[in-house]
Every structure is written in C-alpha cells, then in structure tokens.
C-alpha cells in the first residue's frame, strides 16, 4: 500500500504510477488521484456587459459544489432571465457566469456567491450596478416637497393671521359699520384659527402635489400620462370629418340593466329605426352619469374613434344620443356579456344554481378556447393596422355573442367591477399592471408590442378559465415579478404550442416578441386543426 499524506486540492488529478521490474521485464500501471476537497471561490469579478450581463466566477471543489446566489442577502431565484452558466471545467475548477438578461435597477446590489459541498463551503461578494433608477433622489424630492408644503402652510397661516388682525383693527372701526370680514370670523368659530382655514384641504403631500404626472411604486417614479389615443392629432382614427350617427331618444327603449361601467350603467335596450330591414334591434346602451365639460369632450372623442373602428371582431358602435342627460352610446348587444365572466361560467369551478339544484355548466374545450383566442387576435391585427394601441387588452374588455362570436368591446381604461385588476396610481389613474410588460410598468411605454404582451396574458386567461393573472400576488409583488423578468406559468390545460406562443408574447425585448399577424396565423392554424363544436354552449 502506498500511503500519501498532506495532499491538497492542487494534487487532484495528479497521476500516480507504479512500475515493477525484474530481470525478465517490467510493468507499469497508473491512476489519477481523485482528491475530495471543500469548495473555494477563486474568482468573483465585477459584472461585464456582453450579449447578456455576466458576473464571472471560478469555483473549485470536489465533489462539484452547489452554487447559490444572494442579492443583498435575499436568495436569487434563478429562471429564464437570471441563471448560473458554467462555461468551462478544468481540474475540478468550474468557470462560469451569473448570467442576467436585460437587468434593470432592481437587479443592482451586492451579489454573494455561496459554494457548498459535503466537505465545506466558501462565499464571496461583489457589487453590481446595471442601471440607474428611473429617477434618482426621489426620497430627497419627496422630503423637499414635504418641507415646501409645511413651509407653505406656515406662510399662508401667518399671512392669514396678520390679515385678520388688520381687519379686526380697521374693519371694526369702520365708520359705516361694515360687518363683512369681521362677521365672517364671528359667524364661524372654527375659522378663528387661521391655520384651520388654510389647511382646509390636505396638508399631506398627495401625488398631485408631487406633480400630477408622477406616481411612486416602491422607489420607482413612474410618469402618469393621459391616454394618448384621445389626444394624438395624427391618429388616423380621429379624423375631423368623422360623421357620428345621432339616435333620437324616443327610439331607445330601455329593458334591463346589464352591468356597471366605469362611467355609468350599461343597459339592454331596443332601438327602433336603426336599420332599414328591421323595425327594432336589441342594443347595449352605455350611459355617462356625470357629464362635466371634460367628460363630454372625452365622450365625443371616443364616439368619433369608435365610429372609425369597424371590424368583425370589434364591437359595432351604432351612434350616440345626446339630446339630454345622461349622454348615451349605443352598441350592438352581445348576448353572453364580457368574456371574463363567460370563461369563469364555463370553467371547472363554475356551478350554476338552477331551481335549487346544482348543475354543472358545460366546460369550454381546448378548440373553443383556440377559437376565442383567434378572434381576439384578429381584432388586434386590425387595431395594429390602424396604428391603434389598445393599452388595456384583457378578457374583461372582450364581449361574447351568439355562437361563440368574440369581439373586443371596450377601449376605455378602468372598471369598477374589476377594480382589483387595476393598480390605482396618482389619484384616479388605474393601471392594469397584471397585463402590462416591463417597459409599460417602468417607463409607461405603450406600443403595439406591449399590446402583444397583453394578448399573451389574455391567452393565459382563456386557458385558465378566467383566472386573474398572478392571483396569488399583491400588486407590488406583481410589479416586482414582471420587472424582474418572471412570466406566468403554463396553465394546466394549455397545449405546449399555445404556451410557446405565450412565451413569444412575453419576450422581454419588445422587438423580440411575436408579431401580431404571426400570432393570429398560428392561432388560426391551431384552431383549424381542432374544429369547434359551437352548439354545446346552448
Ligand atoms: P365601461 O367601458 O364603462 O367600463 P363596460 O364596457 O365594461 O363599461 O360594461 C360593463 C358591463 O356591461 C360589462 O361587464 C358587460 O357585462 C356589459 N356590457 C357592456 N357592453 C355590452 C354589450 N355590447 N353587450 C352586452 N353586454 C355588455
């Protein structure tokens, strides 16, 4: 037996040979030393930008060490956008990268690599900085605003106090006995304190005091912009010569309430003399409850826009009725209502209570789901051809008619009934963050490509029978998740081809996403491959 001692990892893989010789001849045999030793991180360097970002490292150890990354002491969950890659192995030394795909400021921080095997562990840290926060020094900005507000209040209070003193002194001595201002004071005891007067509003800085155009999510300042669809003068859909059809009030007979929209109730109605071949047809009328000057302007703009949007998978807009309040928009009636409710009603959890008995409605089949998806994609191809960016594509904004006919039916933002689908920012702006890609969340960039992302989420909604995307997460967690590059998981009933399509919609880089026409083509082919049996919905 050859006994070896004081060996180190450096001796790993060394060749030990044994030769035996006598007068007749010789024989040699050899082996490589397999030395077990604890991990050692021999290199951990600063991040380098390449095709992807890379934090390079080298680790030795035998057996192969397990690697775990921490960012500011929190475990880094590896996935599509962050992963450990080993490029080279030499003598039990592993050389690789922590590879980051398009990291943002969320990825900045102190990266700690921990390498472990059964003989021990080693760890090392490195700082990495990929991107500045969209607005640095926001905290400072916030504090300054607070200081301004407090100083402002104090200044106004002081001026008010001085003014009152002057009024008391001179007003009270008026030879005509003018009661004016002094009576204001005596009539309202509460207002005796000038501070009360000026603080009559809000003395805490609201988001509007920070500028109406910004909102803070975590430490990120996100600009809030009005829906440019309405304000872009170059928008081909807002032509100056658009003829919006006006319908007489006496031609509309309300039948029952269908739902509550963001701006007022929606009713089922009969509309007379709308088409030459039918005396009356069923329509859905949307009412505008509060018609301020601005709301009226938006109403007319939306009516023009809707008049110019005409496609078999966009809900038909018949016209307006503005003879008196409330203002009314008239649409074609879609019998099965909004797609989200429809999906839930035809999913595994749906239970219909009919005449005291619990009966299960028919569940949607995969081919019906594909048929639904294909129609929405078709509507989106049309919108993209009109350079119209929807910004709020979701199943709640699609409508279902007879024979599983699906149309995109809502172009406004925000809905009360689905308020948890939106993230309220800057007072009244609501954002459908669960349907938004990273660039829309971080930079408020809305494009046809961001609509494609939302279409991917719509596919996910369809194949989960109307589940809320990231239902298990809070809004802040969703923002964190999406900006970190996580994507929704494959729904249980979703074929691989369809999930691949979703992944194609959720490429982080907008230009890498599938084109809307491609998506429509793929869905059409998949839908054709499995024909739909429409009658099962009854
Ligand atoms: P808003 O655009 O003001 O938020 P919605 O379009 O969301 O209003 O309408 C609210 C509800 O009214 C929908 O969830 C749907 O159930 C019903 N609804 C709206 N439009 C139609 C329609 N054309 N046909 C049938 N039901 C409709």
């Amino acid at each position: 037996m050859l006994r070896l001692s004081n060996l180190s990892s450096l001796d790993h893989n060394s060749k030990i040979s044994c030769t035996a010789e006598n007068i007749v001849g010789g024989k040699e045999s050899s082996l490589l030393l397999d030395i077990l030793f604890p991990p050692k991180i021999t290199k951990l360097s600063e991040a380098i930008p390449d095709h992807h970002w890379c934090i390079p490292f080298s680790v030795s150890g035998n057996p192969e060490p397990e690697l775990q990354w921490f960012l500011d002491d929190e475990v880094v969950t590896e996935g599509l956008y962050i992963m450990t890659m080993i490029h080279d192995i030499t003598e039990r030394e592993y050389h690789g990268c922590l590879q980051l795909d398009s990291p943002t400021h969320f990825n900045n921080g102190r990266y700690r690599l921990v390498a472990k095997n059964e003989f021990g562990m080693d760890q090392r840290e490195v700082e990495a900085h990929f991107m500045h926060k969209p607005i640095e020094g926001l905290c400072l900005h916030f504090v300054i605003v607070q200081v301004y507000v407090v100083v402002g209040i104090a200044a106004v209070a002081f001026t008010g106090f001085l003014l009152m003193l002057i009024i008391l002194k001179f007003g009270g001595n008026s030879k005509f006995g003018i009661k004016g201002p002094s009576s204001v004071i005596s009539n309202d005891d509460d207002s005796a304190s000038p501070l009360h007067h000026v603080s009559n509003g809000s003395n805490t800085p609201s988001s509007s005091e920070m500028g109406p155009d910004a909102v803070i999510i975590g430490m990120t300042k996100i600009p809030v912009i009005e829906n440019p669809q309405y304000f872009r003068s170059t928008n081909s859909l807002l032509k100056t010569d658009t003829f919006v059809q006006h319908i007489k009030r006496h031609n509309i007979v309300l039948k029952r309430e269908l739902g509550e929209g963001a701006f007022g109730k929606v009713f089922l109605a009969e509309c007379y003399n709308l088409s030459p071949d039918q005396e009356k047809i069923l329509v859905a009328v949307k009412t505008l409850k509060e018609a301020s000057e601005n709301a009226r302007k938006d109403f007319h703009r939306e009516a023009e826009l809707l008049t110019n949007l005409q496609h078999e998978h966009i809900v038909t807009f018949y016209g307006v009725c503005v003879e008196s309040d409330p203002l009314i928009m008239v649409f074609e009636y879609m019998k099965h209502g909004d797609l989200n409710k429809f999906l839930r009603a035809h999913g595994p959890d749906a239970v219909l209570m009919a005449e005291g008995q619990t009966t299960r409605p028919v569940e949607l089949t995969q081919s019906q789901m594909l048929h639904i998806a294909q129609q929405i994609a078709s509507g989106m191809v049309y919108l993209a051809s009109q350079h119209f960016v929807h910004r709020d594509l979701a199943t709640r904004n699609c409508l279902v008619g007879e024979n599983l006919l699906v149309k995109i039916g809502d172009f406004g933002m925000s809905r009360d009934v689905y308020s948890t689908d939106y993230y309220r920012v800057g007072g009244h702006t609501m954002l459908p963050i669960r349907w938004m890609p990273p660039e829309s969340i971080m930079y408020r960039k809305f494009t046809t490509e961001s609509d494609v992302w939302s279409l991917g989420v719509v596919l996910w909604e369809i194949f989960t029978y109307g589940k809320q995307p990231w239902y298990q997460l809070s809004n802040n967690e969703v923002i964190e998740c999406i900006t970190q590059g996580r994507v929704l998981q494959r729904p249980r009933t979703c074929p691989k081809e369809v999930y691949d399509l979703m992944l194609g919609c959720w490429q982080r880089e907008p230009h890498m996403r599938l084109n809307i026409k491609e998506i429509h083509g793929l869905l059409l082919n998949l839908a054709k491959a499995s024909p739909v049996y429409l009658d099962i919905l009854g």
Side-chain angles (χ1 to χ4, degrees):
M1 183 189 289
L2 174 70
R3 206 180 271 279
L4 302 161
S5 49
N6 279 341
L7 292 178
S8 76
S9 58
L10 297 174
D11 301 303
H12 177 70
N13 262 359
S14 308
K15 189 172 158 189
I16 302 275
S17 307
C18 175
T19 19
E21 269 177 2
N22 66 12
I23 48 158
V24 190
K27 183 94 181 151
E28 184 182 314
S29 200
S30 64
L31 54 79
L32 293 178
L33 282 182
D34 185 24
I35 301 200
L36 301 172
F37 59 96
K40 176 133 191 75
I41 300 173
T42 50
K43 180 176 102 176
L44 183 63
S45 337
E46 279 179 10
I48 39 176
D50 195 3
H51 179 56
H52 299 286
W53 279 83
C54 161
I55 301 179
F57 66 84
S58 298
V59 182
S60 60
N62 189 21
E64 179 178 352
E66 260 178 46
L67 303 180
Q68 170 93 72
W69 291 89
F70 293 83
L71 171 56
D72 295 332
D73 298 325
E74 290 219 10
V75 175
V76 171
T77 316
E78 298 199 20
L80 220 52
Y81 296 103
I82 300 184
M83 61 178 111
T84 305
M85 301 288 283
I86 304 288
H87 303 308
D88 196 16
I89 306 173
T90 52
E91 306 291 304
R92 288 284 149 185
E93 188 162 15
Y94 302 83
H95 309 274
C97 273
L98 176 67
Q99 183 178 296
L100 298 104
D101 188 2
S102 313
T104 66
H105 64 276
F106 286 109
N107 301 93
N108 296 346
R110 182 170 38 85
Y111 281 80
R112 177 155 52 95
L113 172 60
V114 176
K116 271 189 201 159
N117 69 12
E118 58 200 89
F119 297 97
M121 64 95 85
D122 191 19
Q123 54 180 331
R124 247 168 109 160
E125 291 183 345
V126 66
E127 281 289 334
H129 184 91
F130 303 101
M131 200 187 264
H132 284 294
K133 281 188 201 131
I135 305 266
E136 287 281 14
L138 192 65
C139 265
L140 189 64
H141 177 68
F142 191 76
V143 169
I144 290 171
V145 171
Q146 269 182 323
V147 168
Y148 275 146
V149 170
V150 171
V151 169
I153 288 170
V156 175
F158 185 67
T159 316
F161 186 65
L162 277 185
L163 265 175
M164 255 182 258
L165 280 181
I166 292 165
I167 288 162
L168 276 174
K169 186 159 172 43
F170 296 101
N173 292 342
S174 161
K175 67 178 170 183
F176 302 108
I178 302 167
K179 286 209 174 122
S182 54
S183 68
V184 171
I185 295 169
S186 58
N187 284 347
D188 179 5
D189 278 352
D190 284 352
S191 61
S193 149
L195 191 65
H196 175 88
H197 244 336
V198 288
S199 65
N200 190 13
S202 163
N203 56 4
T204 47
S206 68
S207 55
S208 60
E209 280 162 324
M210 299 195 65
D213 302 342
V215 64
I216 306 156
I217 294 172
M219 284 304 289
T220 313
K221 188 173 177 180
I222 294 180
V224 174
I225 31 176
E226 302 262 19
N227 187 342
Q229 300 297 357
Y230 295 152
F231 305 100
R232 231 190 307 155
S233 55
T234 51
N235 193 324
S236 60
L237 296 165
L238 280 183
K239 300 169 195 146
T240 45
D241 56 350
T242 301
F243 177 74
V244 177
Q245 167 124 26
H246 284 249
I247 298 166
K248 293 256 180 303
R249 179 62 50 102
H250 67 254
N251 278 332
I252 301 170
V253 180
L254 299 187
K255 287 177 77 76
R256 66 178 166 90
E257 198 181 310
L258 288 173
E260 179 92 41
F263 303 104
K265 288 198 159 73
V266 182
F267 296 93
L268 170 68
E270 281 171 345
C271 191
Y272 288 80
N273 305 321
L274 200 56
S275 76
D277 31 285
Q278 275 170 298
E279 189 205 354
K280 59 176 182 182
I281 56 168
L282 283 178
V283 292
V285 303
K286 286 193 185 183
T287 56
L288 179 66
K289 55 185 170 200
E290 276 168 35
S292 67
E293 208 37 56
N294 276 345
R296 275 171 190 271
K297 275 191 198 145
D298 285 351
F299 178 91
H300 287 291
R301 279 203 199 93
E302 188 164 346
E304 281 178 29
L305 193 113
L306 289 165
T307 304
N308 290 321
L309 286 176
Q310 290 178 25
H311 185 263
E312 56 184 322
H313 294 296
I314 304 289
V315 71
T316 308
F317 173 64
Y318 292 129
V320 295
C321 175
V322 290
E323 278 167 28
S324 57
D325 275 338
L327 303 182
I328 284 177
M329 282 190 184
V330 182
F331 292 88
E332 77 177 292
Y333 171 57
M334 300 288 282
K335 192 176 162 191
H336 294 289
D338 85 65
L339 175 59
N340 189 267
K341 265 188 240 145
F342 181 82
L343 290 167
R344 286 167 188 253
H346 294 90
D349 303 330
V351 174
L352 272 190
M353 300 298 283
E355 288 161 27
Q357 285 196 324
T358 311
T359 50
R360 287 201 141 273
V362 186
E363 260 181 47
L364 283 175
T365 63
Q366 260 183 30
S367 58
Q368 285 169 328
M369 292 174 172
L370 286 167
H371 183 60
I372 293 172
Q374 175 274 115
Q375 298 178 76
I376 299 171
S378 163
M380 290 310 289
V381 170
Y382 168 74
L383 290 185
S385 75
Q386 300 297 302
H387 309 288
F388 182 92
V389 180
H390 191 296
R391 299 157 62 104
D392 194 14
L393 183 64
T395 55
R396 64 179 169 275
N397 288 331
C398 298
L399 292 162
V400 187
E402 263 172 304
N403 280 335
L404 209 56
L405 175 65
V406 177
K407 301 192 178 193
I408 299 168
D410 202 346
F411 303 91
M413 288 284 256
S414 91
R415 288 256 301 274
D416 287 351
V417 252
Y418 289 105
S419 56
T420 55
D421 286 350
Y422 294 89
Y423 187 87
R424 190 179 286 279
V425 292
H428 35 249
T429 305
M430 308 270 267
L431 287 180
I433 48 155
R434 292 164 197 268
W435 284 258
M436 281 160 61
E439 78 274 8
S440 305
I441 292 179
M442 292 192 295
Y443 313 114
R444 305 302 294 279
K445 205 165 173 250
F446 291 92
T447 55
T448 296
E449 289 78 28
S450 61
D451 274 353
V452 163
W453 177 290
S454 312
L455 181 60
V457 182
V458 165
L459 286 178
W460 186 92
E461 284 185 274
I462 296 171
F463 280 84
T464 54
Y465 297 95
K467 283 214 169 87
Q468 190 192 44
W470 304 110
Y471 54 88
Q472 67 282 38
L473 302 182
S474 70
N475 283 333
N476 279 330
E477 286 166 342
V478 171
I479 290 172
E480 197 80 12
C481 241
I482 296 174
T483 52
Q484 291 277 342
R486 278 184 58 190
V487 292
L488 291 160
Q489 282 183 346
R490 175 175 163 180
R492 224 165 21 89
T493 56
C494 175
K496 185 180 176 301
E497 291 91 331
V498 179
Y499 190 59
D500 285 345
L501 234 159
M502 292 181 203
L503 294 177
C505 297
W506 299 331
Q507 290 292 312
R508 194 181 180 93
E509 292 296 329
H511 69 270
M512 296 290 285
R513 289 175 204 151
L514 287 173
N515 169 287
I516 182 66
K517 278 193 187 152
E518 279 176 79
I519 300 170
H520 178 236
L522 286 165
L523 285 170
L524 203 59
N525 285 339
L526 287 169
K528 269 191 202 147
S530 50
V532 188
Y533 300 101
L534 299 167
D535 55 338
I536 67 153
L537 293 173

